[in-house]
Short mmCIF file of all heavy atoms in Angstrom, two decimals:
data_model
loop_
_atom_site.label_atom_id
_atom_site.label_comp_id
_atom_site.label_asym_id
_atom_site.label_seq_id
_atom_site.Cartn_x
_atom_site.Cartn_y
_atom_site.Cartn_z
N ALA G 56 -19.64 23.86 43.29
CA ALA G 56 -20.25 22.60 42.94
C ALA G 56 -19.85 22.25 41.50
O ALA G 56 -19.53 23.04 40.72
CB ALA G 56 -21.79 22.66 43.04
N PRO G 57 -20.00 20.91 41.19
CA PRO G 57 -19.73 20.64 39.70
C PRO G 57 -20.62 21.35 38.75
O PRO G 57 -21.75 21.63 39.08
CB PRO G 57 -20.08 19.11 39.67
CG PRO G 57 -19.87 18.59 41.04
CD PRO G 57 -20.30 19.78 42.00
N VAL G 58 -20.03 21.78 37.70
CA VAL G 58 -20.81 22.60 36.69
C VAL G 58 -21.22 21.92 35.41
O VAL G 58 -20.36 21.11 34.80
CB VAL G 58 -19.94 23.87 36.31
CG1 VAL G 58 -20.56 24.57 35.14
CG2 VAL G 58 -19.85 24.83 37.49
N PHE G 59 -22.40 22.03 35.01
CA PHE G 59 -22.84 21.66 33.69
C PHE G 59 -22.87 22.96 32.89
O PHE G 59 -23.73 23.85 33.05
CB PHE G 59 -24.25 21.05 33.82
CG PHE G 59 -25.02 20.89 32.52
CD1 PHE G 59 -24.41 20.77 31.28
CD2 PHE G 59 -26.42 20.71 32.54
CE1 PHE G 59 -25.10 20.55 30.18
CE2 PHE G 59 -27.12 20.45 31.30
CZ PHE G 59 -26.47 20.40 30.10
N LEU G 60 -21.92 23.00 31.90
CA LEU G 60 -21.84 24.16 31.00
C LEU G 60 -22.72 23.93 29.83
O LEU G 60 -22.34 23.25 28.88
CB LEU G 60 -20.35 24.35 30.62
CG LEU G 60 -20.11 25.61 29.76
CD1 LEU G 60 -20.65 26.91 30.36
CD2 LEU G 60 -18.58 25.73 29.49
N ASP G 61 -23.90 24.62 29.81
CA ASP G 61 -24.90 24.31 28.89
C ASP G 61 -24.94 25.40 27.75
O ASP G 61 -25.67 26.31 27.73
CB ASP G 61 -26.30 24.36 29.64
CG ASP G 61 -27.48 24.15 28.63
OD1 ASP G 61 -27.31 23.56 27.70
OD2 ASP G 61 -28.60 24.57 29.12
N LEU G 62 -23.95 25.12 26.78
CA LEU G 62 -23.81 26.12 25.63
C LEU G 62 -24.42 25.51 24.36
O LEU G 62 -24.55 26.30 23.41
CB LEU G 62 -22.34 26.38 25.36
CG LEU G 62 -21.62 27.03 26.66
CD1 LEU G 62 -20.17 27.34 26.24
CD2 LEU G 62 -22.35 28.28 27.17
N LYS G 63 -24.79 24.27 24.34
CA LYS G 63 -25.42 23.67 23.14
C LYS G 63 -24.67 24.05 21.86
O LYS G 63 -25.19 24.55 20.89
CB LYS G 63 -26.84 24.13 23.07
CG LYS G 63 -27.72 23.75 24.31
CD LYS G 63 -29.16 24.21 24.06
CE LYS G 63 -30.04 23.88 25.20
NZ LYS G 63 -29.78 24.75 26.45
N LEU G 64 -23.39 23.69 21.85
CA LEU G 64 -22.55 24.00 20.68
C LEU G 64 -23.07 23.38 19.41
O LEU G 64 -23.52 22.21 19.41
CB LEU G 64 -21.16 23.54 20.96
CG LEU G 64 -20.42 24.13 22.19
CD1 LEU G 64 -19.08 23.49 22.46
CD2 LEU G 64 -20.24 25.65 22.06
N HIS G 65 -23.11 24.03 18.29
CA HIS G 65 -23.58 23.60 17.10
C HIS G 65 -22.93 24.38 15.90
O HIS G 65 -23.32 25.52 15.71
CB HIS G 65 -25.15 23.83 17.05
CG HIS G 65 -25.77 23.06 15.90
ND1 HIS G 65 -27.15 22.92 15.81
CD2 HIS G 65 -25.24 22.49 14.76
CE1 HIS G 65 -27.42 22.31 14.66
NE2 HIS G 65 -26.35 21.99 14.00
N ASP G 66 -21.99 23.81 15.23
CA ASP G 66 -21.28 24.39 14.10
C ASP G 66 -20.58 23.27 13.36
O ASP G 66 -20.85 22.15 13.61
CB ASP G 66 -20.31 25.50 14.75
CG ASP G 66 -20.14 26.61 13.71
OD1 ASP G 66 -19.75 26.40 12.60
OD2 ASP G 66 -20.24 27.81 14.17
N ILE G 67 -19.61 23.65 12.51
CA ILE G 67 -18.88 22.70 11.78
C ILE G 67 -17.93 21.93 12.75
O ILE G 67 -17.59 22.39 13.82
CB ILE G 67 -18.05 23.26 10.67
CG1 ILE G 67 -17.10 24.32 11.16
CG2 ILE G 67 -18.97 23.92 9.59
CD1 ILE G 67 -16.03 24.77 10.09
N PRO G 68 -17.58 20.69 12.46
CA PRO G 68 -16.83 19.92 13.44
C PRO G 68 -15.63 20.61 13.98
O PRO G 68 -15.35 20.51 15.24
CB PRO G 68 -16.49 18.59 12.70
CG PRO G 68 -17.63 18.48 11.70
CD PRO G 68 -17.92 19.90 11.30
N ASN G 69 -14.77 21.22 13.13
CA ASN G 69 -13.56 21.81 13.70
C ASN G 69 -13.73 22.87 14.66
O ASN G 69 -13.15 23.02 15.76
CB ASN G 69 -12.70 22.32 12.55
CG ASN G 69 -11.32 22.83 12.97
OD1 ASN G 69 -10.58 22.07 13.53
ND2 ASN G 69 -11.07 24.13 12.74
N THR G 70 -14.86 23.74 14.43
CA THR G 70 -15.20 24.87 15.30
C THR G 70 -15.72 24.30 16.60
O THR G 70 -15.37 24.83 17.69
CB THR G 70 -16.21 25.77 14.57
OG1 THR G 70 -15.68 26.31 13.43
CG2 THR G 70 -16.65 26.88 15.53
N VAL G 71 -16.59 23.29 16.56
CA VAL G 71 -17.19 22.82 17.77
C VAL G 71 -16.10 22.11 18.55
O VAL G 71 -16.06 22.16 19.77
CB VAL G 71 -18.31 21.88 17.48
CG1 VAL G 71 -18.73 21.02 18.71
CG2 VAL G 71 -19.60 22.79 16.98
N GLY G 72 -15.19 21.36 17.87
CA GLY G 72 -14.12 20.68 18.59
C GLY G 72 -13.31 21.64 19.36
O GLY G 72 -12.93 21.50 20.54
N ALA G 73 -12.92 22.81 18.78
CA ALA G 73 -12.19 23.86 19.44
C ALA G 73 -12.89 24.45 20.56
O ALA G 73 -12.35 24.76 21.63
CB ALA G 73 -11.72 24.92 18.41
N ALA G 74 -14.18 24.70 20.39
CA ALA G 74 -14.91 25.29 21.46
C ALA G 74 -15.16 24.32 22.60
O ALA G 74 -15.13 24.71 23.84
CB ALA G 74 -16.40 25.75 20.87
N ALA G 75 -15.30 23.08 22.34
CA ALA G 75 -15.46 22.08 23.39
C ALA G 75 -14.18 21.95 24.23
O ALA G 75 -14.21 21.80 25.43
CB ALA G 75 -15.87 20.70 22.75
N ALA G 76 -13.06 22.03 23.44
CA ALA G 76 -11.78 22.03 24.21
C ALA G 76 -11.66 23.24 25.11
O ALA G 76 -11.28 23.14 26.28
CB ALA G 76 -10.60 22.05 23.21
N ALA G 77 -12.06 24.40 24.69
CA ALA G 77 -12.02 25.52 25.53
C ALA G 77 -12.98 25.46 26.66
O ALA G 77 -12.67 25.82 27.79
CB ALA G 77 -12.38 26.86 24.70
N ALA G 78 -14.12 24.83 26.44
CA ALA G 78 -15.16 24.67 27.50
C ALA G 78 -14.59 23.71 28.58
O ALA G 78 -14.77 23.82 29.73
CB ALA G 78 -16.45 24.16 26.94
N ALA G 79 -13.93 22.66 28.13
CA ALA G 79 -13.34 21.67 29.05
C ALA G 79 -12.25 22.32 29.92
O ALA G 79 -12.13 21.96 31.10
CB ALA G 79 -12.74 20.52 28.26
N ARG G 80 -11.54 23.28 29.43
CA ARG G 80 -10.55 24.00 30.18
C ARG G 80 -11.07 24.92 31.30
O ARG G 80 -10.36 25.34 32.20
CB ARG G 80 -9.59 24.79 29.30
CG ARG G 80 -8.67 23.83 28.49
CD ARG G 80 -7.59 24.64 27.79
NE ARG G 80 -8.04 25.41 26.67
CZ ARG G 80 -8.14 24.99 25.40
NH1 ARG G 80 -7.71 23.75 25.11
NH2 ARG G 80 -8.59 25.76 24.46
N THR G 81 -12.34 25.13 31.35
CA THR G 81 -13.01 25.82 32.47
C THR G 81 -13.15 25.02 33.69
O THR G 81 -13.46 25.55 34.68
CB THR G 81 -14.35 26.44 32.00
OG1 THR G 81 -15.26 25.32 31.91
CG2 THR G 81 -14.35 27.22 30.77
N GLY G 82 -12.97 23.73 33.55
CA GLY G 82 -13.25 22.82 34.64
C GLY G 82 -14.67 22.37 34.83
O GLY G 82 -15.06 21.67 35.75
N ALA G 83 -15.46 22.56 33.77
CA ALA G 83 -16.87 21.99 33.79
C ALA G 83 -16.89 20.52 33.79
O ALA G 83 -16.03 19.89 33.16
CB ALA G 83 -17.58 22.50 32.49
N ALA G 84 -17.78 20.01 34.58
CA ALA G 84 -17.95 18.53 34.72
C ALA G 84 -18.74 17.95 33.61
O ALA G 84 -18.57 16.74 33.27
CB ALA G 84 -18.62 18.20 36.10
N ILE G 85 -19.64 18.73 33.05
CA ILE G 85 -20.54 18.27 31.94
C ILE G 85 -20.53 19.39 30.94
O ILE G 85 -20.71 20.61 31.34
CB ILE G 85 -22.00 17.96 32.35
CG1 ILE G 85 -21.94 16.91 33.53
CG2 ILE G 85 -22.84 17.48 31.24
CD1 ILE G 85 -23.35 16.70 34.12
N LEU G 86 -20.55 19.11 29.58
CA LEU G 86 -20.80 20.12 28.63
C LEU G 86 -21.62 19.50 27.47
O LEU G 86 -21.64 18.29 27.32
CB LEU G 86 -19.45 20.73 28.07
CG LEU G 86 -18.36 19.89 27.54
CD1 LEU G 86 -18.52 19.73 25.93
CD2 LEU G 86 -16.98 20.39 27.95
N ASN G 87 -22.15 20.35 26.67
CA ASN G 87 -23.04 19.76 25.62
C ASN G 87 -22.91 20.39 24.30
O ASN G 87 -22.52 21.57 24.13
CB ASN G 87 -24.51 19.75 26.15
CG ASN G 87 -25.14 21.17 26.31
OD1 ASN G 87 -24.43 22.14 26.16
ND2 ASN G 87 -26.38 21.17 26.65
N VAL G 88 -23.52 19.64 23.27
CA VAL G 88 -23.51 20.13 21.93
C VAL G 88 -24.94 19.72 21.41
O VAL G 88 -25.72 18.98 22.05
CB VAL G 88 -22.51 19.38 21.01
CG1 VAL G 88 -21.12 19.68 21.54
CG2 VAL G 88 -22.75 17.88 20.93
N HIS G 89 -25.29 20.24 20.22
CA HIS G 89 -26.58 19.86 19.62
C HIS G 89 -26.31 18.60 18.73
O HIS G 89 -25.50 18.60 17.87
CB HIS G 89 -27.13 20.99 18.69
CG HIS G 89 -28.18 21.80 19.37
ND1 HIS G 89 -29.41 21.20 19.77
CD2 HIS G 89 -28.19 23.05 19.77
CE1 HIS G 89 -30.10 22.22 20.29
NE2 HIS G 89 -29.40 23.36 20.27
N ALA G 90 -27.13 17.60 19.02
CA ALA G 90 -26.97 16.38 18.23
C ALA G 90 -27.23 16.61 16.77
O ALA G 90 -26.82 15.84 15.87
CB ALA G 90 -27.86 15.22 18.75
N GLY G 91 -28.06 17.61 16.47
CA GLY G 91 -28.41 17.95 15.08
C GLY G 91 -27.23 18.40 14.19
O GLY G 91 -27.34 18.42 13.04
N GLY G 92 -26.03 18.60 14.91
CA GLY G 92 -24.91 18.85 14.13
C GLY G 92 -24.23 17.68 13.51
O GLY G 92 -23.31 17.87 12.66
N GLY G 93 -24.69 16.48 13.82
CA GLY G 93 -24.19 15.24 13.13
C GLY G 93 -23.06 14.57 13.89
O GLY G 93 -22.48 15.03 14.89
N ALA G 94 -22.89 13.35 13.52
CA ALA G 94 -22.00 12.40 14.19
C ALA G 94 -20.51 13.02 14.18
O ALA G 94 -19.83 12.85 15.21
CB ALA G 94 -22.04 11.02 13.53
N GLU G 95 -20.07 13.47 13.02
CA GLU G 95 -18.67 13.97 12.96
C GLU G 95 -18.44 15.12 13.95
O GLU G 95 -17.48 15.17 14.59
CB GLU G 95 -18.32 14.40 11.57
CG GLU G 95 -16.89 14.78 11.39
CD GLU G 95 -16.60 15.27 10.00
OE1 GLU G 95 -17.40 15.17 9.04
OE2 GLU G 95 -15.41 15.74 9.74
N MET G 96 -19.43 16.06 14.01
CA MET G 96 -19.33 17.15 14.94
C MET G 96 -19.24 16.70 16.38
O MET G 96 -18.44 17.12 17.18
CB MET G 96 -20.51 18.12 14.73
CG MET G 96 -20.37 19.38 15.51
SD MET G 96 -21.96 20.27 15.82
CE MET G 96 -22.55 19.14 17.22
N MET G 97 -20.18 15.77 16.71
CA MET G 97 -20.29 15.23 18.11
C MET G 97 -18.98 14.48 18.44
O MET G 97 -18.40 14.69 19.54
CB MET G 97 -21.46 14.30 18.26
CG MET G 97 -22.75 15.09 18.30
SD MET G 97 -24.22 14.04 18.81
CE MET G 97 -24.57 13.19 17.27
N ARG G 98 -18.47 13.69 17.56
CA ARG G 98 -17.20 13.03 17.74
C ARG G 98 -15.98 13.96 17.96
O ARG G 98 -15.29 13.81 18.98
CB ARG G 98 -16.96 12.09 16.60
CG ARG G 98 -15.72 11.08 16.82
CD ARG G 98 -15.60 10.11 15.78
NE ARG G 98 -16.78 9.27 15.66
CZ ARG G 98 -17.68 9.28 14.64
NH1 ARG G 98 -17.54 10.13 13.66
NH2 ARG G 98 -18.72 8.42 14.70
N ALA G 99 -15.96 15.01 17.25
CA ALA G 99 -14.88 15.98 17.41
C ALA G 99 -14.99 16.67 18.78
O ALA G 99 -14.05 16.99 19.50
CB ALA G 99 -15.07 17.06 16.32
N ALA G 100 -16.27 17.05 19.26
CA ALA G 100 -16.49 17.67 20.50
C ALA G 100 -15.97 16.73 21.67
O ALA G 100 -15.24 17.15 22.58
CB ALA G 100 -17.97 17.90 20.73
N GLY G 101 -16.38 15.42 21.62
CA GLY G 101 -15.89 14.51 22.65
C GLY G 101 -14.50 14.28 22.68
O GLY G 101 -13.79 14.41 23.82
N GLU G 102 -13.90 14.13 21.51
CA GLU G 102 -12.38 13.87 21.55
C GLU G 102 -11.54 15.12 21.94
O GLU G 102 -10.69 14.94 22.79
CB GLU G 102 -11.99 13.54 20.12
CG GLU G 102 -12.55 12.16 19.69
CD GLU G 102 -12.25 11.81 18.21
OE1 GLU G 102 -11.72 12.68 17.54
OE2 GLU G 102 -12.60 10.63 17.81
N ARG G 103 -12.05 16.25 21.47
CA ARG G 103 -11.24 17.46 21.77
C ARG G 103 -11.38 17.90 23.26
O ARG G 103 -10.46 18.33 23.96
CB ARG G 103 -11.63 18.61 20.87
CG ARG G 103 -11.27 18.41 19.45
CD ARG G 103 -9.72 18.58 19.17
NE ARG G 103 -9.23 19.85 19.52
CZ ARG G 103 -9.31 21.03 18.79
NH1 ARG G 103 -9.92 20.89 17.59
NH2 ARG G 103 -8.86 22.14 19.19
N ALA G 104 -12.61 17.71 23.82
CA ALA G 104 -12.89 18.02 25.17
C ALA G 104 -12.08 17.15 26.14
O ALA G 104 -11.46 17.59 27.13
CB ALA G 104 -14.30 17.90 25.54
N ARG G 105 -11.97 15.88 25.80
CA ARG G 105 -11.16 14.92 26.65
C ARG G 105 -9.69 15.20 26.57
O ARG G 105 -9.04 15.20 27.56
CB ARG G 105 -11.51 13.52 26.22
CG ARG G 105 -13.01 13.09 26.54
CD ARG G 105 -13.38 11.83 25.82
NE ARG G 105 -14.85 11.65 25.91
CZ ARG G 105 -15.64 11.27 24.91
NH1 ARG G 105 -15.11 11.01 23.77
NH2 ARG G 105 -16.90 11.19 25.12
N GLU G 106 -9.20 15.50 25.38
CA GLU G 106 -7.82 15.79 25.23
C GLU G 106 -7.41 17.07 25.93
O GLU G 106 -6.37 17.08 26.65
CB GLU G 106 -7.53 15.95 23.69
CG GLU G 106 -7.61 14.71 22.83
CD GLU G 106 -7.56 15.05 21.43
OE1 GLU G 106 -7.42 16.16 20.97
OE2 GLU G 106 -7.63 14.02 20.64
N ALA G 107 -8.22 18.08 25.91
CA ALA G 107 -7.96 19.38 26.56
C ALA G 107 -7.96 19.26 28.06
O ALA G 107 -7.05 19.80 28.70
CB ALA G 107 -8.98 20.48 26.06
N ALA G 108 -8.87 18.46 28.61
CA ALA G 108 -8.92 18.26 30.01
C ALA G 108 -7.75 17.55 30.47
O ALA G 108 -7.14 17.93 31.51
CB ALA G 108 -10.23 17.54 30.37
N ALA G 109 -7.38 16.46 29.77
CA ALA G 109 -6.21 15.75 30.18
C ALA G 109 -4.91 16.60 30.16
O ALA G 109 -4.05 16.50 30.99
CB ALA G 109 -6.04 14.52 29.31
N ALA G 110 -4.82 17.36 29.03
CA ALA G 110 -3.56 18.23 28.90
C ALA G 110 -3.47 19.28 30.05
O ALA G 110 -2.38 19.63 30.45
CB ALA G 110 -3.63 18.98 27.54
N ALA G 111 -4.65 19.74 30.57
CA ALA G 111 -4.77 20.75 31.60
C ALA G 111 -4.74 20.09 33.02
O ALA G 111 -4.86 20.74 34.02
CB ALA G 111 -5.89 21.62 31.48
N SER G 112 -4.61 18.72 33.09
CA SER G 112 -4.73 17.98 34.33
C SER G 112 -6.03 18.27 35.04
O SER G 112 -6.09 18.32 36.32
CB SER G 112 -3.52 18.25 35.24
OG SER G 112 -2.27 17.94 34.60
N LEU G 113 -7.11 18.34 34.30
CA LEU G 113 -8.44 18.48 34.80
C LEU G 113 -9.24 17.22 34.72
O LEU G 113 -8.96 16.40 33.77
CB LEU G 113 -9.16 19.65 34.09
CG LEU G 113 -8.67 21.10 34.30
CD1 LEU G 113 -9.21 21.99 33.31
CD2 LEU G 113 -8.93 21.56 35.66
N PRO G 114 -10.21 17.00 35.55
CA PRO G 114 -11.07 15.83 35.35
C PRO G 114 -11.75 15.91 33.95
O PRO G 114 -12.12 16.94 33.51
CB PRO G 114 -12.16 16.00 36.49
CG PRO G 114 -11.42 16.84 37.50
CD PRO G 114 -10.60 17.75 36.68
#
Side-chain angles (χ1 to χ4, degrees):
V58 168
F59 168 20
L60 183 53
D61 180 21
L62 301 182
K63 302 181 180 72
L64 301 172
H65 190 170
D66 210 309
I67 62 172
N69 187 59
T70 297
V71 166
R80 288 191 286 269
T81 67
I85 304 170
L86 57 95
N87 65 357
V88 302
H89 261 295
E95 185 181 353
M96 187 204 78
M97 288 190 279
R98 191 172 295 110
E102 291 173 354
R103 294 286 301 277
R105 293 168 191 134
E106 290 168 0
S112 298
L113 291 167

